[in-house]
Amino acid sequence: MFAAATAFANATLTPAGDMKISKKEITSTASFFQYRSGKVLMEVLAVRAPDGTVRTAFNTCHVCYSSGRGYYTQKGDLLVCNNCGNKFKISQVGLVKGGCNPVPIGKDLKTEDADSIIISKALFEEAKPLFLNWKTR
């Protein structure tokens, strides 16, 4: 049986079920943080942009998500879609919406301070449909 929510890989779960990511862990190489809600596994990617900010996005997109292979792998300074092969500059994470790009988690969708980023359980619940077939193929 699955817990209501679980966070993996250097992220912690707050008592409210929100994901908390330490900014000190984030570099120019993408970090991937998994979150489970019920039976659905989801993933956030975080990267330190050239301007020093930490950018976040869901590791899926609005185009390829239903394929089971709509997630990204980093190759150099690019993220590459494992379904269609679209290449996306890592410096654009969190900025570009739509198409085959990681689904941004912008400033209006998260809470952050100098040390950490918090992504709400409610946002994960909203994103669940994007992950129903995620990494199934």
Side-chain angles (χ1 to χ4, degrees), residues 71-123:
Y71 56 94
Y72 298 86
T73 304
Q74 185 172 355
K75 296 196 178 171
D77 66 346
L78 299 173
L79 290 172
V80 180
C81 177
N82 288 287
N83 185 58
C84 72
N86 184 51
K87 293 176 176 71
F88 182 82
K89 287 187 177 190
I90 205 157
S91 62
Q92 296 298 301
V93 167
L95 301 178
V96 178
K97 296 179 183 178
C100 184
N101 301 300
V103 176
I105 303 173
K107 290 182 182 277
D108 58 326
L109 299 174
K110 62 187 175 187
T111 304
E112 62 183 297
D113 59 27
D115 300 319
S116 61
I117 296 170
I118 296 177
I119 301 169
S120 73
K121 177 181 178 181
L123 186 61

Side-chain angles (χ1 to χ4, degrees), residues 4-115:
T6 310
F8 302 90
N10 299 324
T12 58
L13 205 58
T14 69
D18 302 334
M19 176 185 277
K20 184 175 183 179
I21 299 169
S22 171
K23 286 184 175 181
K24 70 180 179 183
E25 306 287 330
I26 308 304
T27 68
S28 60
T29 299
S31 295
F32 298 90
F33 302 93
Q34 293 184 338
Y35 183 96
R36 183 179 300 278
S37 178
K39 294 183 179 182
V40 179
L41 184 63
M42 297 173 265
E43 194 169 70
V44 169
L45 67 90
V47 65
R48 190 165 301 275
D51 66 3
T53 62
V54 175
R55 309 246 180 96
T56 53
F58 286 113
N59 189 17
T60 193
C61 75
H62 287 289
V63 175
C64 298
Y65 74 93
S66 64
S67 71
R69 295 182 42 81
Y71 56 94
Y72 298 86
T73 304
Q74 185 172 355
K75 296 196 178 171
D77 66 346
L78 299 173
L79 290 172
V80 180
C81 177
N82 288 287
N83 185 58
C84 72
N86 184 51
K87 293 176 176 71
F88 182 82
K89 287 187 177 190
I90 205 157
S91 62
Q92 296 298 301
V93 167
L95 301 178
V96 178
K97 296 179 183 178
C100 184
N101 301 300
V103 176
I105 303 173
K107 290 182 182 277
D108 58 326
L109 299 174
K110 62 187 175 187
T111 304
E112 62 183 297
D113 59 27
D115 300 319

